[in-house]
Amino acid sequence: MTRSGGRKRRLHFSKIYSFSCGRASLKEEHSQIGGPGFSRVVFCNEPDSFEAGIRNYADNYVSTTKYTVATFLPKSLFEQFRRVANFYFLVTGILAFTPLAPYSAVSAIIPLIIVIGATMTKEGIEDWRRKQQDIEVNNRKVKVHKGSGEFDYTEWKNLRVGDIVRVEKDEFFPTDLLLLSSSYEDAICYVETMNLDGETNLKLKQALDVTSTLQEDTSISDFHAMVKCEDPNANLYSFLGTMDFEKQQYPLSPQQLLLRDSKLRNTDYIYGVVIFTGVDTKVIQNSTPPPSKRSRVEKKMDKIIYLLFGVLFTLSSVGSIFFGIKTKDDLNNGIMKRWYLKPDDSTVFYDPKKVPLAAIYHFLTALMLYSYLIPISLYVSIEIVKVLQSVFINQDIHMYYEEADKPAHARTSNLNEELGQVDTILSDKTGTLTCNSMEFIKCSVAGTAYGRGFTEVERSMGRRNGSPVHEALIGKDDTAPIKGFNFKDERIMFGNWVNEPHGDLIQNFFRLLAVCHTAIPEVDEVTGKVMYEAESPDEAAFVIAAREVGFEFYKRTQTSISVRELDRASGQQVDSLYTLLNVLEFNSTRKRMSVIVRNEEGKVLLLCKGADNVMFERLAKNGREFEEETKEHLNGYADAGLRTLILAYRELQEDEYTEFNAKFIKAKNSISADREALIDEVTDNVEKDLILLGATAVEDKLQNGVPDCIDKLAQAGIKIWVLTGDKMETAINIGFACSLLRQGMTQIMINLESPEIKVLEKEGDKDAITKASRARVLHHIDKGKAQLTASSGGSEAFALIIDGKSLAYALEDDIKSLFLELAMGCASVICCRSSPKQKALVTRLVKSGTGKTTLAIGDGANDVGMLQEADIGIGISGVEGMQAVMSSDIAIAQFRYLERLLLVHGHWCYRRISSMICYFFYKNITFGLAVFLYEASTTFSGQPVYNDWFLSLYNVFFSSLPVVAMGVFDQDVSARFCLKFPLLYQEGVQNVLFSWRRIIGWMLNGLTSAVIIFFFCMKALQPCAFNPDGKTAGMDILGATMYTCTVWVVNLQMALAISYFTLIQHLFIWGSITLWYLFMLAYGAMSPTLSTNAYKVFVETLAPTPSFWLITLLVPISALLPYFTYSSLRMRFFPLYHKMIQWIRYEGRSNDPEFCDMVRQRSLRPTTVGFTARLAARTNKLRR
């Protein structure tokens, strides 16, 4: 498709940006091209050439699935049989086909097939959903050059290295591209990299001059060049290469590289050549393969299985030894002790002449017979329960985001119980904590504070303090909301500022906001409304605020800025033209931005805005009139979580400006190593003697409920880290906004901003820089640890703030343990300028170093590595891309839903799964030990006391359904109480409900029940008339009676253990017992060939006999009495936290604030972050 028509002239933005868009030169490092690590060669516009084909570069298909069609069966089977219990049942299933088996092979193998098949089906469905999302991304369309200047749409997955693509405004880049040209004449373009580094401000990229003339589709036809560059790597911020074009070689830098998953903004289109595809792209290089995650509870469950295997082998060994001794004595001088085994004419299994072999065979038989100690249905029951728990998470209306029509979505159900054990949360900032929008909300001008709005932080603190703020205090506002503007004050709005005492300063204040920026106005042709595209959201908020107050910036050229403003004298709107002389750009070192303009009166003005710590020191003596009032307002704004800037100005004399401009041009044109230092020196000399106008306060708009959520999570004892690609100042402001930081908290800063390192950087000695940087990071860590040690035992809270460069050294093998020790001693940790790889490494460090459950939460492709590395990855299904969601375990629409996900669903799932597993082991030990005790009483003959199908169906029909119902529906406390008493969450973090003490306790309960059931039934039925006919009870009657008592005991035990009954639980508990009786009737009515020794056992022998019913009444009561006694004493004297809350509810004291506070304050450590901690700190300060 050929682009027709003339090219519309666009602004040369590279001339506005004084410090950016520097051209690369062939430096020393470019000599590495062609060597190791720099071997990639790209033939531009020739993807089909022979040279391109032999290099066999990766295609552009990207996959996030765990399986493929070829690997699903072997890998999924491996996943199932790496569970030791499943492997054991596979072995016993094979042995069941031999004469050794004490039961039929069919009854042994069918349950295993059902269990494995159900789990594999679930895994397959979950991975298919991931596959569908991959297909959606890989099938996105982009225009690619087909030849002869013709462009046509193709799918992302079909792109090849060397293809030339045309990407249009607001589209994502499909691969890593080398920028050739753009819709701007000087070949610049704006790129939003939020998916990569979390930043919303736009990055400026610029192509080489030699390719900037490729202005139309047709001009691409004859373009051919060869690019030599670095091999694929994970470094987002570096790129080294050369382009051979028209027999000349040109250097390439990161300025020309457009990364996959970043977005083209404020630029109509660009042309680019594909450099890296698919797995070679930098964003994918920063990700890791989707791991097979298993919860800590499941891993511990495997250890319990190993313990039970130990018990199983011990019982089998003891029984086999005893059996061998007895078998040896069976035939002694012709006397047969166990005559019924016919030792004189026996098979090898009972042959007294082959005792060792008989004992070994008995050992194998015993392994199969006692296999019921191991719960075969445990895994599949847990899988079913987890799937149903996930359904409840997905359908929770309290986690449904109506605005975007997005519910919570549990993409895997393997980690439900992990949600109840999270010790540390590692969170992205942009798009996760914030909404990616700034709002101008307050300002201080001439010592007077303006703006009556409330921030999210102020609302949260007000609610906690019992004095909620009300918007009604500032009057009803029916006007439509304006993005970026939430300022309400009748003294300023609607032109009323002219009546203020310092109206002239207010005019200069908003005039500065309208002029001092690099934003670009766009006029809507339909409405005539002026909209703005800015490098950062806060810059856009400033020009919008100026417009709403009456200073509308509406036009920019390369040399001028036009503002429509209110004239104080006439009260009319007038157009003012400001000639743009210089732009002194903002950077993290200068922390300020200035423009020098000439107004219509011919005066040269320097307008400056910047951080308070650099601006106050630049004020003139006569410009500090309102300094104290402004500082007081700044403190209030910071406490409200607002981002602040100081505004000031000065008038330059003509000769002073002329001298400055000459020095500035000279510094910019300098080619020496200290060019930036020369520029800084020149700008420092002009940005001084300023007159203070006031301060702006912008709310980096948090998502709704973020401070509340963080406060509640902090009260639950969860540590929260923020890992962001943003600069340190931004991250700190957000820390204050969401109450991770507060006034009075000691900040431990680790960065490499020191004069010594700057000198070394100018000298270019890399080894010296590395050595000095490591030493500085170590010094900061040691100093921070000393501060923690000095304050140990005190109430002082610490926050650790570290930048990306320092983090690279802190994560080295010999330093990372010291860094983690320091970080774990701090209340808050904020890592700034973190690359995706660093985020993943920090997550790995916390996970492995603490041994506790970690949760990572993010919304962009830059968070994928972190989400996959953490024990649990939570993706925010925000407005930008689906990469984080596709790689996450659970997706939610807003950060605030994390509170309910963890404190409610997490706690419930942890408790349910833990109780399920304990109960499973209890019921199987009760069942299996009864089999063993009967074996012992029959001198280990290998004969099971129960019928084959009684054995097989115990775990399937008569005891599993109630435990599934408990795993899905049981609640120790309601959702309201989970949120009211967040400390309850610590039961999961400390693993109170799945500790070895609790597990062993349930096992001992099972042992007690088995002993009581066996001996009571044996003694009750031992030789005496069982019915009026005088018949005694045989093995069939004893087995059926013991089985009946077991079914009653385990189901009634479940009824005692449940805290929250539903109709379904009643149905399953009593239904399982009823089903047993119905089964005895139906199975006993079958022919003796099928029912064997269960033939009419219930109808003819058990049901007519009163003693059977008496036994089934007294034995369950006796078996449950020990548990009932223990739990009653525990509740009375040593209640767990959830039991205390249940008692509050039972006594009706849930609305008694003093009693609830007493229970709530049983904290293991004081809360140090969140607005609750901020309020407590302020209260303590007032008391002192």
Side-chain angles (χ1 to χ4, degrees):
M1 177 178 163
T2 305
R3 181 177 171 81
S4 60
R7 235 168 101 84
K8 68 179 176 183
R9 290 184 58 84
R10 302 300 297 263
L11 214 53
H12 287 239
F13 288 100
S14 56
K15 297 179 182 178
I16 292 177
Y17 287 79
S18 303
F19 302 156
S20 55
C21 284
R23 302 291 184 182
S25 59
L26 282 167
K27 299 177 184 177
E28 183 180 343
E29 59 258 27
H30 284 83
S31 63
Q32 302 173 76
I33 301 298
F38 297 87
S39 61
R40 196 173 188 86
V41 179
V42 178
F43 298 90
C44 304
N45 218 7
E46 300 177 80
D48 297 315
S49 66
F50 173 76
E51 292 86 350
I54 61 175
R55 296 183 182 275
N56 197 27
Y57 291 135
D59 61 26
N60 202 39
Y61 186 88
V62 173
S63 174
T64 61
T65 58
K66 189 189 297 185
Y67 306 108
T68 64
V69 173
T71 64
F72 175 71
L73 195 60
K75 194 172 178 181
S76 183
L77 282 172
F78 170 76
E79 288 284 333
Q80 299 311 311
F81 287 115
R82 75 174 182 173
R83 291 171 167 168
V84 65
N86 287 346
F87 181 74
Y88 166 73
F89 284 113
L90 176 65
V91 173
T92 56
I94 294 170
L95 289 175
F97 289 93
T98 69
L100 292 168
Y103 41 66
S104 64
V106 175
S107 66
I109 206 73
I110 285 179
L112 179 65
I113 293 172
I114 293 171
V115 167
I116 298 299
T119 310
M120 287 178 63
T121 302
K122 168 187 160 290
E123 285 282 316
I125 291 171
E126 288 183 350
D127 212 52
W128 174 250
R129 289 172 182 162
R130 295 190 192 99
K131 177 74 173 176
Q132 294 298 104
Q133 291 176 330
D134 287 343
I135 290 172
E136 180 186 344
V137 171
N138 288 307
N139 287 347
R140 289 177 181 172
K141 299 291 184 68
V142 68
K143 286 183 178 178
V144 66
H145 185 230
K146 298 294 187 181
S148 304
E150 294 289 332
F151 279 76
D152 198 6
Y153 282 104
T154 191
E155 294 167 341
W156 280 21
K157 65 183 178 184
N158 297 328
L159 291 177
R160 298 164 296 170
V161 172
D163 273 331
I164 293 181
V165 299
R166 174 184 167 120
V167 180
E168 313 221 337
K169 184 177 179 180
D170 293 329
E171 289 182 350
F172 289 100
F173 298 123
T175 66
D176 289 351
L177 302 174
L178 183 72
L179 178 62
L180 298 177
S181 63
S182 77
S183 56
Y184 292 110
E185 291 178 2
D186 46 4
I188 67 161
C189 71
Y190 284 100
V191 175
E192 184 184 86
T193 59
M194 196 188 76
N195 262 351
L196 305 180
D197 56 20
E199 293 193 22
T200 53
N201 58 305
L202 306 183
K203 309 292 191 303
L204 199 63
K205 301 285 185 176
Q206 187 167 28
L208 299 175
D209 282 336
V210 291
T211 61
S212 63
T213 55
L214 301 172
Q215 300 176 357
E216 307 293 341
D217 290 358
T218 51
S219 64
I220 299 297
S221 171
D222 300 322
F223 172 74
H224 297 283
M226 183 169 68
V227 173
K228 299 176 182 177
C229 65
E230 61 187 28
D231 293 335
N233 61 74
N235 196 327
L236 293 174
Y237 307 109
S238 72
F239 179 71
L240 202 62
T242 59
M243 176 186 280
D244 295 338
F245 179 56
E246 296 179 346
K247 299 182 181 180
Q248 293 288 324
Q249 192 175 68
Y250 302 93
L252 300 172
S253 71
Q255 199 64 35
Q256 287 84 47
L257 190 66
L258 307 174
L259 300 180
R260 178 186 172 113
D261 287 329
S262 48
K263 181 186 278 190
L264 184 66
R265 299 295 297 272
N266 296 357
T267 311
D268 288 346
Y269 61 87
I270 62 99
Y271 293 105
V273 60
V274 175
I275 300 294
F276 299 119
T277 50
V279 295
D280 291 342
T281 57
K282 289 184 180 286
V283 66
I284 304 298
Q285 289 277 311
N286 269 281
S287 65
T288 53
S292 296
K293 294 183 179 180
R294 298 182 73 210
S295 71
R296 278 171 168 72
V297 168
E298 190 174 341
K299 290 174 184 175
K300 192 168 186 176
M301 185 171 70
D302 283 350
K303 294 178 182 178
I304 303 170
I305 296 286
Y306 292 136
L307 174 64
L308 288 179
F309 272 122
V311 173
L312 172 62
F313 277 85
T314 302
L315 294 178
S316 301
S317 300
V318 169
S320 299
I321 293 169
F322 189 83
F323 174 79
I325 295 170
K326 281 287 185 183
T327 302
K328 187 177 181 181
D329 294 338
D330 267 351
L331 193 62
N332 189 7
N333 297 324
I335 300 172
M336 295 179 288
K337 290 187 177 179
R338 294 190 297 180
W339 53 269
Y340 49 87
L341 295 178
K342 298 181 181 179
D344 57 335
D345 184 26
S346 174
T347 63
V348 69
F349 302 118
Y350 301 101
D351 191 347
K353 299 172 185 177
K354 298 178 181 178
V355 170
L357 193 58
I360 291 171
Y361 283 146
H362 180 274
F363 177 77
L364 296 175
T365 300
L367 285 181
M368 289 186 275
L369 186 58
Y370 304 153
S371 65
Y372 295 96
L373 284 171
I374 314 297
I376 188 173
S377 63
L378 172 60
Y379 286 112
V380 72
S381 296
I382 288 178
E383 297 287 352
I384 292 169
V385 164
K386 286 183 175 182
V387 168
L388 293 174
Q389 287 175 348
S390 297
V391 170
F392 284 145
I393 290 173
N394 297 346
Q395 295 184 349
D396 189 341
I397 194 68
H398 298 288
M399 294 195 295
Y400 171 66
Y401 188 46
E402 190 172 1
E403 288 183 29
D405 189 27
K406 289 180 179 177
H409 177 48
R411 300 182 69 250
T412 177
S413 58
N414 291 343
L415 305 169
N416 293 354
E417 66 272 26
E418 288 279 87
L419 292 171
Q421 295 184 279
V422 175
D423 178 74
T424 305
I425 294 173
L426 300 106
S427 175
D428 177 41
K429 181 192 76 69
T430 308
T432 303
L433 297 176
T434 65
C435 299
N436 299 329
S437 66
M438 305 284 187
E439 286 191 345
F440 186 93
I441 190 168
K442 295 183 182 184
C443 63
S444 171
V445 187
T448 304
Y450 296 99
R452 305 188 191 279
F454 295 103
T455 65
E456 184 69 23
V457 174
E458 287 175 311
R459 293 188 185 97
S460 298
M461 289 182 69
R463 284 194 294 271
R464 177 64 181 167
N465 199 21
S467 56
V469 295
H470 296 287
E471 300 296 344
L473 296 174
I474 58 173
K476 183 73 173 176
D477 187 2
D478 296 324
T479 58
I482 299 167
K483 185 179 180 181
F485 187 74
N486 190 25
F487 181 85
K488 299 179 179 68
D489 198 319
E490 70 285 349
R491 294 172 294 173
I492 292 289
M493 299 301 293
F494 314 115
N496 294 336
W497 60 266
V498 298
N499 302 318
E500 286 295 289
H502 297 284
D504 55 334
L505 295 180
I506 294 174
Q507 183 180 36
N508 289 336
F509 181 91
F510 285 100
R511 182 181 285 160
L512 188 151
L513 291 180
V515 175
C516 182
H517 55 77
T518 55
I520 306 149
E522 291 188 354
V523 181
D524 190 308
E525 296 178 359
V526 178
T527 64
K529 187 82 170 178
V530 179
M531 305 303 292
Y532 303 106
E533 294 287 354
E535 265 201 314
S536 61
D538 47 358
E539 185 134 287
F542 291 144
V543 287
I544 290 170
R547 181 192 70 195
E548 295 303 314
V549 172
F551 296 79
E552 185 179 41
F553 159 58
Y554 66 92
K555 184 180 179 184
R556 178 194 283 278
T557 69
Q558 289 174 227
T559 58
S560 67
I561 289 175
S562 300
V563 177
R564 188 173 294 115
E565 58 184 77
L566 183 66
D567 180 58
R568 287 190 73 202
S570 65
Q572 300 296 317
Q573 290 281 339
V574 296
D575 291 344
S576 299
L577 183 71
Y578 296 89
T579 304
L580 186 61
L581 304 176
N582 301 92
V583 177
L584 314 184
E585 195 184 83
F586 180 92
N587 64 41
S588 58
T589 303
R590 285 166 39 79
K591 296 183 180 178
R592 62 189 182 277
M593 179 236 175
S594 302
V595 296
I596 301 176
V597 296
R598 190 189 302 277
N599 65 14
E600 292 177 333
E601 298 170 4
K603 293 180 181 179
V604 178
L605 302 173
L606 182 143
L607 309 178
C608 186
K609 62 186 181 187
D612 54 357
N613 59 336
V614 297
M615 291 294 287
F616 280 127
E617 65 187 28
R618 298 183 176 279
L619 297 180
K621 288 183 179 179
N622 63 344
R624 299 176 178 269
E625 182 180 353
F626 310 107
E627 182 178 6
E628 291 304 317
E629 295 92 334
T630 304
K631 284 183 175 179
E632 186 179 336
H633 296 154
L634 283 177
N635 290 334
Y637 296 154
D639 205 41
L642 297 173
R643 302 177 59 164
T644 57
L645 284 181
I646 297 296
L647 272 55
Y649 79 103
R650 67 174 290 209
E651 184 177 341
L652 300 177
Q653 299 302 315
E654 197 66 42
D655 56 345
E656 184 182 8
Y657 171 70
T658 303
E659 181 184 353
F660 157 77
N661 197 41
K663 291 180 179 178
F664 187 57
I665 292 172
K666 182 180 178 181
K668 281 203 301 178
N669 294 334
S670 170
I671 57 173
S672 63
D674 58 350
R675 174 178 176 271
E676 290 191 10
L678 292 174
I679 293 174
D680 286 345
E681 184 181 345
V682 174
T683 55
D684 278 351
N685 288 332
V686 74
E687 291 172 323
K688 62 182 183 180
D689 299 329
L690 303 174
I691 297 171
L692 177 65
L693 290 173
T696 60
V698 174
E699 184 178 14
D700 191 350
K701 193 68 176 173
L702 294 173
Q703 290 186 10
N704 290 336
V706 165
D708 279 316
C709 178
I710 287 177
D711 183 66
K712 195 74 77 173
L713 295 174
Q715 288 183 57
I718 302 173
K719 305 176 191 74
I720 302 171
W721 293 31
V722 174
L723 311 178
T724 177
D726 266 359
K727 57 181 183 284
M728 188 172 282
E729 295 84 358
T730 307
I732 290 173
N733 281 324
I734 284 297
F736 278 105
C738 60
S739 296
L740 282 173
L741 303 177
R742 66 171 189 272
Q743 299 297 322
M745 182 181 276
T746 303
Q747 295 181 12
I748 300 173
M749 311 275 287
I750 302 180
N751 57 46
L752 300 180
E753 298 293 325
S754 71
E756 297 81 4
I757 293 177
K758 285 184 179 179
V759 169
L760 291 173
E761 286 175 344
K762 289 174 183 177
E763 294 173 355
D765 187 342
K766 293 184 177 179
D767 291 336
I769 293 170
T770 301
K771 186 176 179 181
S773 299
R774 288 183 85 257
R776 182 173 171 82
V777 170
L778 264 173
H779 170 72
H780 276 304
I781 291 174
D782 290 338
K783 184 179 176 183
K785 288 176 65 180
Q787 288 178 276
L788 289 177
T789 304
S791 71
S792 60
S795 60
E796 188 175 4
F798 292 84
L800 176 62
I801 303 164
I802 183 170
D803 66 5
K805 288 182 180 178
S806 305
L807 194 57
Y809 295 103
L811 292 173
E812 291 181 355
D813 289 341
D814 55 339
I815 302 178
K816 62 184 182 183
S817 59
L818 298 173
F819 168 67
L820 180 63
E821 188 180 342
L822 171 63
M824 296 312 294
C826 295
S828 300
V829 180
I830 299 177
C831 301
C832 320
R833 286 293 182 192
S834 307
S835 69
K837 202 79 169 180
Q838 285 179 325
K839 290 184 177 185
L841 289 173
V842 169
T843 306
R844 181 184 302 171
L845 175 63
V846 176
K847 181 174 73 170
S848 60
T850 63
K852 302 287 185 67
T853 303
T854 57
L855 179 148
I857 180 168
D859 74 317
N862 60 318
D863 302 315
V864 168
M866 176 174 73
L867 299 185
Q868 292 181 339
E869 189 63 53
D871 293 300
I872 309 167
I874 305 290
I876 300 286
S877 51
V879 295
E880 294 297 337
M882 291 292 288
Q883 287 79 5
V885 170
M886 287 165 60
S887 301
S888 68
D889 302 305
I890 299 173
I892 55 177
Q894 295 272 287
F895 183 88
R896 69 177 186 267
Y897 298 145
L898 197 60
E899 175 186 343
R900 186 173 180 88
L901 183 66
L902 297 187
L903 302 190
V904 178
H905 290 284
H907 172 73
W908 283 348
C909 290
Y910 164 73
R911 183 184 182 279
R912 290 163 176 169
I913 296 293
S914 300
S915 300
M916 263 188 77
I917 296 170
C918 288
Y919 177 80
F920 253 105
F921 290 127
Y922 157 79
K923 74 183 183 65
N924 276 65
I925 286 174
T926 300
F927 186 74
L929 283 180
V931 173
F932 171 78
L933 291 171
Y934 177 80
E935 264 271 278
S937 71
T938 60
T939 63
F940 299 98
S941 62
Q943 177 66 42
V945 68
Y946 301 132
N947 178 280
D948 288 2
W949 287 103
F950 287 7
L951 289 168
S952 295
L953 299 180
Y954 173 75
N955 280 314
V956 178
F957 291 122
F958 309 131
S959 63
S960 283
L961 289 179
V963 75
V964 169
M966 180 182 75
V968 176
F969 299 107
D970 195 32
Q971 299 175 14
D972 54 347
V973 298
S974 66
R976 183 170 69 91
F977 280 94
C978 285
L979 298 174
K980 188 170 185 176
F981 299 95
L983 189 63
L984 178 63
Y985 188 79
Q986 279 294 309
E987 287 192 344
V989 178
Q990 297 174 41
N991 206 16
V992 171
L993 303 180
F994 202 58
S995 63
W996 280 109
R997 180 180 176 182
R998 185 176 174 87
I999 293 162
I1000 299 297
W1002 272 99
M1003 288 182 174
L1004 291 175
N1005 187 25
L1007 173 62
T1008 304
S1009 297
V1011 168
I1012 291 173
I1013 290 170
F1014 174 74
F1015 284 106
F1016 278 33
C1017 288
M1018 280 286 286
K1019 294 301 179 183
L1021 296 174
Q1022 211 165 17
C1024 64
F1026 179 72
N1027 61 18
D1029 296 337
K1031 292 181 180 178
T1032 57
M1035 188 184 73
D1036 52 349
I1037 294 173
L1038 175 65
T1041 305
M1042 285 175 57
Y1043 200 99
T1044 304
C1045 290
T1046 302
V1047 170
W1048 271 99
V1049 168
V1050 296
N1051 281 286
L1052 290 177
Q1053 175 66 71
M1054 169 60 65
L1056 287 176
I1058 285 174
S1059 300
Y1060 179 76
F1061 270 101
T1062 64
L1063 180 62
I1064 293 176
Q1065 284 161 313
H1066 278 294
L1067 180 65
F1068 282 179
I1069 289 172
W1070 310 119
S1072 295
I1073 296 171
T1074 305
L1075 187 63
W1076 160 240
Y1077 288 105
L1078 294 175
F1079 175 78
M1080 279 198 294
L1081 285 171
Y1083 186 55
M1086 295 180 182
S1087 70
T1089 308
L1090 294 174
S1091 60
T1092 62
N1093 65 348
Y1095 179 68
K1096 294 190 177 180
V1097 70
F1098 181 68
V1099 174
E1100 292 186 355
T1101 58
L1102 298 182
T1105 309
S1107 60
F1108 167 75
W1109 298 105
L1110 186 62
I1111 290 170
T1112 55
L1113 172 66
L1114 296 179
V1115 170
I1117 294 174
S1118 303
L1120 294 172
L1121 194 59
Y1123 171 83
F1124 184 79
T1125 303
Y1126 170 79
S1127 58
S1128 300
L1129 292 173
R1130 181 73 187 268
M1131 179 69 178
R1132 180 65 182 86
F1133 297 107
F1134 310 103
L1136 291 173
Y1137 197 66
H1138 70 274
K1139 292 290 185 181
M1140 295 175 64
I1141 298 171
Q1142 287 176 349
W1143 195 257
I1144 289 174
R1145 185 184 62 186
Y1146 175 75
E1147 290 197 334
R1149 301 182 69 176
S1150 59
N1151 295 320
D1152 183 343
E1154 290 187 12
F1155 190 76
C1156 289
D1157 283 343
M1158 181 185 72
V1159 174
R1160 191 182 292 116
Q1161 288 167 8
R1162 277 190 45 178
S1163 179
L1164 300 176
R1165 63 187 182 90
T1167 303
T1168 50
V1169 298
F1171 60 78
T1172 299
R1174 176 180 286 185
L1175 191 65
R1178 183 181 296 172
T1179 304
N1180 291 336
K1181 187 176 179 181
L1182 291 173
R1183 285 174 180 170
R1184 289 197 298 267

